[in-house]
Amino acid sequence: MKNCLKLTFDGGQTALAIRVAQQAELSDALEGIGLRGSRSVLIVVGGASNISEADFLRIQRLFTEVLAPIAESLGAYVVDGGTDAGVIQLMGKARTQIDAKFALIGVTPENKVALPNQEEPAADLTPLEPNHTHFVLVPGNNWGDESAWISGVATVLANNAPSVTILLNGGEITFEDAFSSVNVGRSVVVIAGSGRTADILANALRGQATDERAKKLAKSGKLQYIDLIDIEKGVENLGKIIKDLLDNQE
């Protein structure tokens, strides 16, 4: 396909990327880089550049002990924002750390990221995470423009298979990510104790909402949360919830 690129990162990792202009193109575009439904899909959304070191360390285990192993055991697709920061970086590193083979697809606004084979990218561009296997480059000049696309890619890849969104930490855009999943009927698992937006949403689910968006999302019936206060129990609970949603969701 003319909009297909092969990306080579400094560490030697390679990935396939595809440019798309509208959501109607997604099915053909994804097939063009070897991605076909129907397969379980795990979406990961949340904190990127502004995640604190303490929150980062607290949630790191969830990726290496739960998210990456479950994706590998199910042969699931994993879809996220594709940039080399925060929870997205953790997802990429976890895939490599456990030597997994599942497809990891980053969906990102092309005008906001630096492709690895660009000679002199603009200083304000964000690098792509090098452990991803595929990227979908979408239109947009602002972070958040990718939110509906992340959900759309997941819907196309899942087809009739189950999908679930995991929400950790996050800022303003993470609310948009959550609405993008809830609006298509996708379950969202919020990791309470991971900071910022995740904790606001968890408080809303406990009936302690102070944010109108959080109240609306909590009322959707599509959100649930696990708590990281006890990390051992949190790791165990997250694994059970994801397996249940991906095994039993219609």
Side-chain angles (χ1 to χ4, degrees), residues 9 44-53 55-57 59-60 63 80-94 104 106-108 112-114 124-132 135 143 146 150 168-171 174 177 196:
F9 293 89
V44 178
V45 298
S49 58
N50 293 322
I51 190 168
S52 72
E53 185 176 357
D55 289 335
F56 193 85
L57 293 172
I59 62 180
Q60 197 166 18
F63 287 84
D80 63 20
T83 54
D84 196 20
V87 300
I88 303 165
Q89 183 185 77
L90 285 174
M91 192 70 245
K93 287 186 173 181
L104 177 54
V107 182
T108 190
K112 297 294 290 181
V113 296
D124 61 342
L125 298 181
T126 301
L128 296 175
E129 201 289 318
N131 298 293
H132 281 60
F135 292 93
W143 294 118
E146 74 280 9
I150 289 172
L168 309 98
N169 193 267
T174 305
D177 293 326
R196 302 198 298 156

Side-chain angles (χ1 to χ4, degrees), residues 136-156:
V136 181
L137 305 174
V138 304
N141 296 308
N142 300 295
W143 294 118
D145 290 343
E146 74 280 9
S147 293
W149 287 92
I150 289 172
S151 183
V153 166
T155 297
V156 170

Side-chain angles (χ1 to χ4, degrees), residues 34-132:
L35 300 171
R36 296 175 178 82
S38 307
R39 192 178 293 199
S40 296
V41 178
L42 195 61
I43 302 174
V44 178
V45 298
S49 58
N50 293 322
I51 190 168
S52 72
E53 185 176 357
D55 289 335
F56 193 85
L57 293 172
R58 188 179 299 113
I59 62 180
Q60 197 166 18
R61 282 183 59 187
L62 297 180
F63 287 84
T64 54
E65 296 182 26
V66 181
L67 300 179
I70 284 179
E72 186 70 358
S73 67
L74 294 176
Y77 289 129
V78 179
V79 180
D80 63 20
T83 54
D84 196 20
V87 300
I88 303 165
Q89 183 185 77
L90 285 174
M91 192 70 245
K93 287 186 173 181
R95 181 186 181 277
T96 295
Q97 189 172 332
I98 71 165
D99 196 27
K101 306 299 180 210
F102 64 83
L104 177 54
I105 304 119
V107 182
T108 190
E110 183 170 11
N111 292 337
K112 297 294 290 181
V113 296
L115 303 184
N117 40 3
Q118 283 179 318
E119 290 185 9
E120 292 186 21
D124 61 342
L125 298 181
T126 301
L128 296 175
E129 201 289 318
N131 298 293
H132 281 60

Side-chain angles (χ1 to χ4, degrees), residues 183-243:
N183 289 343
V184 296
R186 182 177 294 118
S187 295
V188 177
V189 180
V190 175
I191 309 302
S194 64
R196 302 198 298 156
T197 299
D199 289 350
I200 293 170
L201 290 172
N203 284 336
L205 289 167
R206 298 181 184 114
Q208 303 163 1
T210 56
D211 184 287
E212 289 303 317
R213 295 165 299 177
K215 288 180 185 177
K216 188 173 181 180
L217 285 163
K219 288 177 181 176
S220 71
K222 286 296 177 183
L223 269 66
Q224 58 183 297
Y225 73 93
I226 67 157
D227 208 315
L228 281 191
I229 290 175
D230 181 341
I231 186 65
E232 299 295 339
K233 189 175 289 185
V235 166
E236 182 181 347
N237 288 348
L238 181 60
K240 286 178 180 176
I241 288 170
I242 294 174
K243 284 179 181 174

